[in-house]
Amino acid sequence: HVTGARYHRFNPEEPRAINIWDFPELAYGKNLDLSKITEQISLIVMDAMSLAEASDSLARDLLTKAVVQVLKNIAPRNVQGKRREPTHSDLVAMLEAYDFGSDSLNNRAREIALALEKYRGNPWLDTPTHPDFHVDTPYDVYELDSLNAFQPDIKQTLANRIGARVIRSIGQKQADGTRSPTLLVFDEVHEYRQSFPGLIPVLKKGTRHGRKHNVVTMMMTHTYDDFEGMHDVTSTAGVKLIGKQTGDLSSLARDAKLSTRALQAISALQNIDGLYTQWLMVIGSGDSQQVETVQNNLSPTMLWTFTTHPDEANARARVASLKPDWPLTEVIAWLAARYPQGLAASGSILDESDLFRA
């Protein structure tokens, strides 16, 4: 809100599609080199396999062939000022009509098409990307919790498509040919394994490929065990920030190769509401690994911008309600000036009489 970012919540009654076929290289038209967009093709195939509830290698091969044929048919028609995105219906039609070389392959392709048929015409899954997602902003926030209002299959597919859209921001080039520096943040990762399991392969794919494209990927959760299924990525992370821990640290200590002194340092970490948080920072691995205790001191403005403490969040909302003509930045500035350490650290409560003297 403060920085002008775009915040996406999803409502089943207000369709705003993210098309899995929407990727920047479509604009190349007849110059599109399919051999250089294998990652884009694999994301489309993963999406279709999820919808078809298919996991066999034959389905993957047939879908890959069908996706390539759709792109060969449609992409060359794109010219400057005229751009058509393929959609789910194009894939279903290709699976139904294309000759894959034998009756057995054609029959399997038709089975996949039949499984995908029920999503034809779906306003969330079978339409070009909504214009809202093409507006430039400093950054985008996708609220995955809002997907809980959807049917399970639609929910999973939308989560996967959000992940794919985030991953596709990797490697975008600026006018001078350099890669745009990009930060990808995945919060509350512990919810992915249970609620959005299909998002994990997409996240892992982006994490591996982002490092060479000026991208930093940050994944945050409560305990290291929440990263189960992603330890091949997290164990090799270039930087680990470890806060206060209450659970078992054995797997973290093993993967990060933490010394006994480092584990003791984790136990000694302290957080004081309104003042600072402490972390163990692990940089690098092996013989070159560096381990330090670091402290994040909160300025009053940062505290009131980012606090999630219920009393402070309520106070921020209350001031905004009582002063509707104030922008949020002014609300935060007023609170920071009067309660520089917040409410939790000082044991204070919001004095609304001060507000009306402001």
Side-chain angles (χ1 to χ4, degrees):
H1 189 102
V2 172
T3 62
R6 184 172 43 190
Y7 188 81
H8 297 293
R9 289 188 63 84
F10 297 86
N11 181 348
E13 304 302 320
E14 300 174 1
R16 291 188 303 130
I18 295 177
N19 186 13
I20 192 64
W21 295 81
D22 176 24
F23 54 91
E25 290 86 352
L26 273 179
Y28 295 172
K30 64 181 181 181
N31 295 320
L32 177 63
D33 186 345
L34 296 177
S35 66
K36 294 183 178 180
I37 60 165
T38 55
E39 291 299 326
Q40 307 288 16
I41 292 172
S42 68
L43 289 172
I44 299 171
V45 171
M46 287 171 60
D47 181 86
M49 291 188 69
S50 175
L51 286 173
E53 298 183 7
S55 58
D56 56 292
S57 58
L58 178 57
R60 181 179 294 105
D61 292 342
L62 291 171
L63 282 166
T64 300
K65 182 72 171 178
V67 168
V68 168
Q69 290 302 316
V70 170
L71 291 172
K72 284 182 176 180
N73 287 350
I74 294 177
R77 305 175 192 174
N78 288 335
V79 294
Q80 188 172 6
K82 181 182 178 182
R83 179 179 179 274
R84 185 200 159 186
E85 300 171 17
T87 61
H88 179 79
S89 287
D90 294 310
L91 176 60
V92 175
M94 184 61 68
L95 288 166
E96 292 172 339
Y98 190 76
D99 183 1
F100 290 91
S102 71
D103 289 342
S104 60
L105 293 178
N106 289 338
N107 289 336
R108 179 63 178 126
R110 307 304 182 261
E111 290 175 358
I112 299 171
L114 183 61
L116 296 175
E117 173 69 30
K118 63 180 178 179
Y119 301 106
R120 258 185 169 168
N122 186 290
W124 286 95
L125 305 183
D126 190 19
T127 188
T129 296
H130 193 278
D132 281 0
F133 296 102
H134 291 302
V135 178
D136 287 333
T137 59
Y139 61 93
D140 291 304
V141 179
Y142 295 91
E143 183 55 73
L144 291 180
D145 280 352
S146 65
L147 298 180
N148 289 326
F150 291 81
Q151 295 177 348
D153 51 349
I154 305 296
K155 167 186 169 181
Q156 292 298 330
T157 302
L158 290 178
N160 298 348
R161 291 188 178 193
I162 290 170
R165 186 163 185 83
V166 170
I167 296 308
R168 281 169 170 168
S169 66
I170 290 175
Q172 291 185 359
K173 289 187 177 181
Q174 303 179 97
D176 61 359
T178 60
R179 303 285 184 181
S180 299
T182 305
L183 174 66
L184 307 181
V185 180
F186 299 89
D187 197 10
E188 306 290 356
V189 173
H190 63 279
E191 294 188 2
Y192 293 7
R193 185 175 52 182
Q194 180 177 351
S195 300
F196 307 104
L199 190 56
I200 293 177
V202 179
L203 190 154
K204 290 170 65 173
K205 184 184 291 289
T207 301
R208 290 194 184 98
H209 291 273
R211 296 173 180 174
K212 59 185 179 182
H213 291 313
N214 209 14
V215 172
V216 172
T217 299
M218 180 185 298
M219 296 187 290
M220 300 182 290
T221 192
H222 299 281
T223 67
Y224 186 70
D225 291 340
D226 293 335
F227 290 120
E228 184 178 340
M230 292 186 286
H231 287 168
D232 54 331
V233 173
T234 57
S235 63
T236 59
V239 178
K240 302 177 184 67
L241 284 167
I242 305 166
K244 288 180 66 68
Q245 301 289 306
T246 57
D248 179 31
L249 298 179
S250 57
S251 58
L252 172 60
R254 180 195 65 236
D255 289 348
K257 297 180 173 55
L258 297 179
S259 66
T260 301
R261 291 186 64 184
L263 294 174
Q264 292 172 344
I266 294 174
S267 300
L269 296 175
Q270 293 187 9
N271 299 333
I272 298 181
D273 286 340
L275 294 179
Y276 61 77
T277 57
Q278 292 183 337
W279 307 78
L280 187 77
M281 180 170 64
V282 182
I283 302 177
S285 60
D287 295 337
S288 62
Q289 184 182 86
Q290 299 180 45
V291 181
E292 298 285 350
T293 298
V294 295
Q295 182 169 301
N296 179 32
N297 296 291
L298 292 172
S299 71
T301 301
M302 285 182 63
L303 185 153
W304 281 106
T305 299
F306 297 111
T307 182
T308 56
H309 189 282
D311 292 343
E312 292 166 349
N314 286 340
R316 186 175 54 203
R318 180 65 175 161
V319 172
S321 176
L322 293 173
K323 291 288 188 178
D325 55 323
W326 283 8
L328 184 57
T329 48
E330 191 166 347
V331 170
I332 290 170
W334 185 88
L335 288 165
R338 281 156 182 77
Y339 306 99
Q341 293 183 4
L343 301 179
S346 59
S348 303
I349 60 174
L350 176 66
D351 187 346
E352 294 183 6
S353 62
D354 284 347
L355 185 63
F356 293 106
R357 289 194 293 267

